[in-house]
Amino acid sequence: MSFPNECLLFGDIFNSLRLQLSDGMVNWLTPLWILCLGGLAGLVLCAALWGLLRLVSAIPGIGTMTESPRPRWIAIGVLTAAIFAASLVLIPSLTDVGGATANQAAANQPAAAANVPAADTSGLLDTLWAMAGTLLASWLLATAVVTLMSRAALAETGIAIREGVLWPLFITAAVMSVLAVLGLFVVREPVEMLDSLARLPVLATEGAIVRTYEVAGAPNAFDEPPEVELPVSFRRTEISELSIQTDQKVRIRTDPFSEQSQVAVTLEVTPGEPQTWRRASQGSNPFRDDDVTKLYAKNLGNSPAQVKLTARRAVAHPQMKLVPIVALAMAGVFFVYLFQRAATPKLAAVALSTAKSEIAQPLYAIIMAIGIFALILFIYIPYFTLSSDIKMLKDSGLTLILVLSIIQAVWAASSSVADEVEGKTALTVLSKPVSRRSFILGKFTGIGWSVGLMIVMLGLLLLITVAYKPVYDSREGNYKIQSDPNQVQTQTEPTWQNCYAEMVQVVPGLVLVFLEMLVMTSLSVAISTRLPTLANFIISFTVYVLGHLTPLMVQSQVVAEQLPPVVFFGRLIATVLPVLDHFNIQASVAAGVNVPPTYLAWALVYCVLYSSVAMLLALTLFEDRDLA
């Protein structure tokens, strides 16, 4: 399917009005435009979901359902069951893990192997864990939906946006939306990139194209086999892989055999040896037409050939996958904040007061200024790393944001808990209908929101600098990247895809920085319930250093052989203190590989578990604290 005439018209308009910038500037701004487009999509998604909740709450009986406990819990139970059932239908792998594991074990081992039952048990456990996690996620989602459908919660949305951390986040998203519109006149082929965004759900649901053909052979052994056209249907820019199987020797070509072409691909397939063609990310495309409708084949065998063709497709610009990810992240932050405000109003009030107080502190502005100045300065610092300055920039930027956020978190925990206890302010707050549990949890939540805002702002600046670094290095003659793993030559001029790849690799690091900050904040809040500011700083940064060094001591072979007590001490520390090295992606940055989503999920689980233990300790220490 080709672009409609309207899309071509819009593309011509944008190309005629496009700003005449240098190639380096366009390559730098294109990844940022995709990021800003995600901010625009996030605002639209938040508004659409909020409007949907508003319409549902207008139905008689639903908007006031949460006011009574019994109807509320019934609605949560019904919605949980519906979401869980839908998950099992949409994700069949949740119930096929055990069977897949057993089938894989049976295929790889003899039938009488002794470890086949173990594989079945492991597969069953994996299935149970997956279903338990899905059930928990379904319950959390159902609880959030039912809580947010309350008319009172929806009525306070405007107030929630105008105060607290949502307001600067909303301003940031609004600026990103404006830049996304202006970026249409900066980037190359914006209409084609937007079309790739629209094609994402289509290709995700359709999957691979599998077709079978019968190709006739030559009438006799002396004649040339006839050329047969194989009807296909896919876009030239979306085809990523062609896999061919046949029972006869067959030659397949992307162009007619009678035409000469330097970019055409010819595959010669023999029985039992399938051939696969994969398009290089930045290589030439062997197809001429935008809509590919035919391939060409010749049967070199003696009998009619059965040809099985499997075509796998991907969007022309897979970088546009960042747009829905950013949009979902923005919607998640927005509705988590609204859910916290509606579900725990007293805790939310303490958290709001804490966040506003910490953001207004001079230290907050000083730390932000230091972070902004240092991140910009990192671009121009010569690292002398032989074309690996970009890796040093990413590692230095993530470390800087982590250290600054932990300093702010520890200071905020001391000033908002320890100082308020010593100054009798906590006694005044607790004289109102606010429990000690809501006070401590509210302090932790407010600190998390305020420092999380800092990480978002500094993280956006880090993404901007990382996307610009390849362009700057190329001007200095210090940028080299291997264009293809199978080739030796390197490219010295970055494309916008290179800038995007470098920028995206930082995003998991920012997520892990936030999770590590939450762990340190929970420990700092627990310490501040009993100790003053100076002791809190000393203990917190001792924990920070030990949390990063302990895995090195435990895993070192030299230390294990020569200093066994050090290994024992390290394992003891790793059992009691958090293993903060789990949140470090320095090795990933150095190797130039992306962090898988499963690693982020397990890091989130570890963060939630350890932060929960630390907050239970904080509640225990604060419960019998004499505030008078």
Side-chain angles (χ1 to χ4, degrees):
M1 181 182 300
S2 59
F3 289 111
N5 294 330
E6 292 81 0
C7 295
L8 296 176
L9 177 62
F10 280 120
D12 294 337
I13 293 175
F14 288 133
N15 289 331
S16 62
L17 299 178
R18 190 164 67 90
L19 299 178
Q20 299 301 318
L21 301 177
S22 63
D23 292 340
M25 292 296 293
V26 175
N27 293 335
W28 169 46
L29 295 176
T30 300
L32 302 183
W33 175 72
I34 297 175
L35 185 65
C36 293
L37 196 63
L40 174 60
L43 282 182
V44 174
L45 180 61
C46 290
L49 294 178
W50 185 88
L52 180 61
L53 290 174
R54 188 79 176 182
L55 289 176
V56 174
S57 66
I59 300 176
I62 294 182
T64 58
M65 179 175 52
T66 57
E67 297 178 359
S68 302
R70 182 179 177 84
R72 180 172 181 270
W73 286 111
I74 293 177
I76 291 175
V78 173
L79 190 57
T80 299
I83 295 175
F84 182 69
S87 301
L88 296 181
V89 174
L90 297 176
I91 312 177
S93 58
L94 291 174
T95 56
D96 292 341
V97 175
T101 305
N103 293 336
Q104 183 179 2
N108 296 336
Q109 298 176 0
N115 55 352
V116 171
D120 294 339
T121 304
S122 176
L124 179 60
L125 290 177
D126 291 341
T127 302
L128 293 177
W129 276 111
M131 295 182 68
T134 305
L135 181 61
L136 177 61
S138 302
W139 177 77
L140 292 175
L141 181 60
T143 303
V145 170
V146 172
T147 303
L148 293 174
M149 283 193 305
S150 171
R151 294 180 180 177
L154 294 174
E156 295 182 354
T157 303
I159 301 175
I161 294 177
R162 290 192 298 270
E163 60 182 12
V165 299
L166 283 189
W167 183 245
L169 292 177
F170 174 76
I171 296 298
T172 303
V175 173
M176 293 174 65
S177 302
V178 175
L179 295 178
V181 176
L182 297 178
L184 294 172
F185 305 98
V186 175
V187 302
R188 306 184 188 94
E189 301 179 349
V191 176
E192 287 81 351
M193 298 179 70
L194 292 175
D195 180 74
S196 295
L197 179 62
R199 293 282 296 174
L200 280 174
V202 176
L203 297 183
T205 55
E206 289 184 358
I209 300 176
V210 180
R211 293 190 178 181
T212 303
Y213 309 92
E214 181 174 330
V215 180
N220 52 66
F222 303 98
D223 293 338
E224 179 73 14
E227 179 180 284
V228 179
E229 296 182 355
L230 307 181
V232 295
S233 178
F234 52 80
R235 289 188 178 184
R236 172 180 180 270
T237 57
E238 292 181 349
I239 186 65
S240 61
E241 179 181 302
L242 290 175
S243 180
I244 304 172
Q245 297 179 357
T246 180
D247 57 353
Q248 299 289 326
K249 188 175 182 180
V250 175
R251 185 175 297 159
I252 295 180
R253 200 167 188 264
T254 55
D255 284 343
F257 288 89
S258 58
E259 298 182 4
Q260 299 293 330
S261 174
Q262 296 181 352
V263 297
V265 173
T266 302
L267 297 178
E268 192 162 312
V269 190
T270 57
E273 298 182 2
Q275 294 290 330
T276 300
W277 167 83
R278 294 182 179 87
R279 193 183 69 186
S281 58
Q282 299 181 13
S284 59
N285 197 311
F287 300 101
R288 299 181 180 181
D289 300 329
D290 292 335
D291 294 329
V292 181
T293 59
K294 62 183 70 174
L295 296 176
Y296 302 89
K298 282 187 176 182
N299 182 5
L300 305 181
N302 299 323
S303 314
Q306 299 295 324
V307 179
K308 181 180 179 182
L309 173 67
T310 303
R312 290 179 173 82
R313 299 171 297 168
V315 291
H317 299 285
Q319 295 82 6
M320 298 301 290
K321 295 178 182 179
L322 182 65
V323 175
I325 295 176
V326 174
L328 291 175
M330 288 183 56
V333 171
F334 176 71
F335 286 104
V336 164
Y337 189 90
L338 294 183
F339 172 72
Q340 169 204 305
R341 186 184 179 95
T344 56
K346 297 180 181 179
L347 185 152
V350 176
L352 175 62
S353 175
T354 302
K356 293 173 66 175
S357 175
E358 296 305 325
I359 293 174
Q361 293 293 329
L363 180 63
Y364 194 89
I366 292 174
I367 290 179
M368 287 288 292
I370 293 174
I372 293 172
F373 175 77
L375 289 175
I376 296 176
L377 183 63
F378 285 166
I379 301 176
Y380 306 101
I381 294 179
Y383 295 97
F384 303 105
T385 56
L386 299 177
S387 305
S388 297
D389 286 7
I390 184 67
K391 297 179 182 179
M392 291 298 299
L393 172 63
K394 289 186 282 189
D395 186 52
S396 302
L398 290 174
T399 303
L400 174 71
I401 295 176
L402 174 61
V403 172
L404 293 180
S405 62
I406 291 179
I407 291 175
Q408 174 61 33
V410 175
W411 176 266
S414 301
S415 61
S416 62
V417 179
D419 291 352
E420 289 190 11
V421 170
E422 296 296 333
K424 311 303 180 185
T425 307
L427 183 62
T428 305
V429 175
L430 293 174
S431 63
K432 300 177 181 181
V434 177
S435 63
R436 296 196 176 202
R437 179 180 60 183
S438 297
F439 179 80
I440 290 296
L441 294 178
K443 291 295 182 182
F444 169 73
T445 306
I447 295 171
W449 280 114
S450 61
V451 183
L453 175 63
M454 176 186 293
I455 294 175
V456 170
M457 297 303 177
L458 295 179
L460 287 175
L461 180 58
L462 178 61
L463 295 179
I464 295 173
T465 57
V466 169
Y468 178 70
K469 185 64 173 175
V471 178
Y472 176 79
D473 287 348
S474 66
R475 293 175 179 175
E476 299 294 320
N478 194 31
Y479 178 81
K480 293 181 180 180
I481 184 172
Q482 190 170 340
S483 58
D484 194 316
N486 299 322
Q487 298 178 359
V488 179
Q489 67 268 21
T490 58
Q491 65 182 60
T492 57
E493 291 295 332
T495 63
W496 73 263
Q497 290 89 348
N498 300 134
C499 297
Y500 173 88
E502 300 289 356
M503 182 188 74
V504 169
Q505 193 188 21
V506 181
V507 176
L510 293 173
V511 176
L512 294 175
V513 165
F514 177 73
L515 297 180
E516 183 171 352
M517 181 274 301
L518 289 181
V519 173
M520 292 300 301
T521 302
S522 63
L523 283 174
S524 182
V525 170
I527 296 170
S528 62
T529 58
R530 291 288 181 171
L531 298 176
T533 302
L534 182 58
N536 192 358
F537 265 94
I538 294 175
I539 297 175
S540 296
F541 281 96
T542 301
V543 171
Y544 173 79
V545 173
L546 292 177
H548 283 280
L549 291 181
T550 301
L552 299 178
M553 294 187 299
V554 174
Q555 298 173 5
S556 176
Q557 186 67 24
V558 176
V559 174
E561 294 176 355
Q562 300 181 4
L563 300 172
V566 175
V567 177
F568 172 77
F569 182 71
R571 291 176 179 174
L572 179 62
I573 294 177
T575 304
V576 178
L577 300 181
V579 183
L580 300 179
D581 200 57
H582 292 332
F583 306 103
N584 185 9
I585 65 166
Q586 183 178 4
S588 175
V589 171
V593 297
N594 295 323
V595 179
T598 54
Y599 186 88
L600 296 179
W602 282 113
L604 175 62
V605 172
Y606 183 82
C607 172
V608 171
L609 293 177
Y610 199 93
S611 299
S612 300
V613 173
M615 292 312 299
L616 288 176
L617 177 63
L619 294 174
T620 303
L621 294 175
F622 191 70
E623 189 65 30
D624 58 350
R625 176 72 187 270
D626 186 8
L627 303 179

